[in-house]
């Protein structure tokens, strides 16, 4: 039976959902070079020291620091060059007092050397003699064994989202394969008697399906696998049959449209019929996207989105994306890039509701400007023209032109 909304603030809605879902989508081993954006399944410990040998961090001369003490422009230290350390090979040299060896950045320190004098602080006197015009302390300009990473130390913890620097760091230690969470599979159902596929015939009254594709794209962007279940009419049996299949084949179900409370809106009813505890939230204090359904079916999330293409995108971004990370075991999803900008126009809202308004960003001498894209709300083209969504916080009755607003970038 259709019921009236009891709207819940967005934060609380997501918390309620998270308290009912069971993470865990299995794990797999992947090649590190293909692991960008994946989430580690276990702790990784350094199998070796990095660097594995003491290295110079400068172009210059490997020295005994004590030989440079007191050196200055006025009274330089005169030292004997006994050789040049080759790159990629053992130093093959042992320094005695008063001796130095030419070394390049990343080259091995000579035996007996404990510091490097950068080339800028030296003068060549002749083939085998240099002047050092500034002293170095022991260890200066040297990277010691294990300074970067110590053997046996925690390199990456489990549940960590792999970024480019992580890929590089793993490779630098010779780790070429890693256990990660499997990509969550998200079943996407679009419902509505009015929908036709993008390549279908648009007879009067019909519209092309947008949401299957925009939501699948967001799913991919969040590192998950979209499973499309095609278009489903506004029929309880048809929608339920597709939802059951979706739940079986995926780790999460997303139903686009039919999430409101009219008799034609079947999503809540269908989700409730799938299992316990069912619908947890029906109605979120947000615009666009108030008629949102968050549910859990035996620990699997099921989310009903408003059919409006803009609402569907906003709600998917705010609720489905964090749920995808949660399923994959990632406890700290990447922070969403956002910028602060100065509003060029007033934004209306009401206290107790969070609003998202598409904006275009412009730079002017005083900084970033957020120009709201007005006109008919809820049009896909407003999102296409926007750089991000300006947020009017829950506790604000609106924002005035000139105020600072946070813009979530796409
Ligand atoms: P509903 O949530 O079912 O009330 O739908 C709200 C609006 O979104 C209606 O105008 C629908 O035609 C439209 N709509 C629903 N699903 C889609 C879709 N997959 N692609 C484009 N528009 C849709
Ligand atoms: Mg509908």
């Amino acid at each position: 039976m259709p019921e009236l909304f009891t709207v819940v603030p967005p934060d609380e809605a997501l918390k309620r959902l998270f308290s009912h879902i069971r993470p865990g989508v299995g794990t797999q081993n992947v090649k590190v070079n293909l692991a960008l954006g994946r989430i580690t399944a276990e702790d990784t410990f350094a199998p070796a020291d990095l660097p594995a040998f003491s290295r110079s961090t400068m172009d210059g001369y490997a020295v005994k620091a004590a030989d440079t003490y007191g050196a200055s422009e006025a009274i330089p230290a005169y030292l004997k060059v006994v050789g040049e350390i080759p790159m990629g090979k053992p130093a093959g040299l042992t320094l005695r007092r008063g001796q130095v060896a030419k070394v390049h950045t990343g080259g091995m320190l000579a035996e007996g050397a404990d510091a490097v004098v950068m080339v800028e602080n030296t003068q060549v006197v002749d083939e085998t003699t240099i002047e050092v015009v500034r002293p170095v302390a022991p260890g200066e300009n040297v990277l010691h064994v294990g300074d970067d990473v110590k053997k046996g130390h925690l390199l990456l913890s489990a549940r960590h989202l792999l970024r480019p620097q992580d890929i590089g760091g793993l490779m630098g230690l010779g780790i070429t394969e890693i256990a990660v969470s499997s990509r969550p599979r998200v079943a996407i159902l679009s419902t509505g008697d009015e929908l036709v596929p993008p390549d279908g015939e648009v007879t009067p009254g019909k519209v092309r399906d947008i949401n299957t594709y925009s939501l699948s794209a967001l799913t991919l962007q969040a590192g998950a696998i979209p499973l499309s279940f095609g278009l489903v009419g506004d029929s309880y049996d048809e929608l339920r049959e597709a939802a059951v299949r979706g739940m079986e084949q995926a780790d999460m179900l997303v139903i686009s449209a039919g999430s409101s409370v009219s008799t034609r809106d079947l999503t809540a009813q269908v989700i409730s019929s799938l299992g316990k505890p069912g619908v947890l939230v029906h109605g979120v204090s947000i615009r666009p996207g108030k008629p949102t359904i968050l549910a859990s079916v035996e620990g699997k999330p099921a989310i009903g989105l408003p059919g409006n293409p803009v609402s569907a995108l906003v709600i998917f971004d705010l609720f489905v994306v964090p749920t995808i990370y949660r399923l994959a075991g990632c406890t700290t999803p990447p922070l969403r890039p956002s910028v602060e900008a100065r509003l060029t126009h007033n934004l209306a809202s009401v206290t107790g509701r969070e609003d998202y308004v598409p904006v275009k960003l412009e730079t002017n001498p005083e900084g970033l400007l957020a120009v709201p894209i007005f006109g008919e709300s809820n049009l896909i083209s407003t999102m296409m023209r926007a750089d991000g969504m300006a947020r009017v916080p829950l506790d604000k009755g609106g924002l005035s032109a000139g105020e600072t607003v946070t813009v979530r970038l796409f």
Side-chain angles (χ1 to χ4, degrees), residues 361-404:
L361 291 172
E362 282 173 12
T363 33
N364 88 343
E366 289 131 64
L368 271 185
L369 295 180
V371 186
I373 298 176
F374 287 121
E376 202 55 45
S377 67
N378 280 329
L379 300 178
I380 190 68
S381 64
T382 61
M383 295 290 268
M384 295 169 77
R385 274 150 54 207
D387 297 309
M389 300 297 270
R391 188 171 74 102
V392 186
L394 204 66
D395 60 356
K396 292 271 176 141
L399 289 174
S400 307
E403 276 195 87
T404 299

Side-chain angles (χ1 to χ4, degrees), residues 46-69:
D49 282 315
L50 192 68
F53 57 92
S54 293
R55 305 180 78 184
S56 172
T57 62
M58 294 283 172
D59 289 331
Y61 295 89
V63 300
K64 288 179 181 294
D67 286 342
T68 67
Y69 293 166

Side-chain angles (χ1 to χ4, degrees), residues 189-192 194-196 205 207-215 231 234 256-260 262 264-265 291 305-309 312:
L189 295 186
S190 285
T191 108
E194 72 278 27
L195 301 177
V196 294
V207 296
R208 291 195 179 91
D209 175 20
I210 291 174
N211 296 350
T212 299
Y213 304 95
S214 56
L215 303 180
L231 297 175
D234 291 317
S256 144
S259 66
S260 200
S262 91
R264 291 190 59 77
D265 294 314
L305 306 176
N308 198 286

Side-chain angles (χ1 to χ4, degrees), residues 150-209:
K150 290 228 167 6
K151 181 177 176 174
H153 280 204
L154 183 66
L155 185 63
L156 287 175
S157 55
R159 305 170 162 261
H160 173 87
L161 180 105
L162 292 168
R163 303 158 300 164
Q165 60 268 48
D166 301 321
I167 305 292
L170 288 163
M171 291 300 203
L173 281 153
I175 301 170
T176 58
E177 208 173 277
I178 190 163
V180 295
S181 291
S182 299
R183 292 185 188 279
R185 291 155 301 168
V186 181
I188 298 174
L189 295 186
S190 285
T191 108
D193 284 337
E194 72 278 27
L195 301 177
V196 294
D199 57 359
E201 196 193 342
V202 188
T203 51
K206 298 279 189 193
V207 296
R208 291 195 179 91
D209 175 20

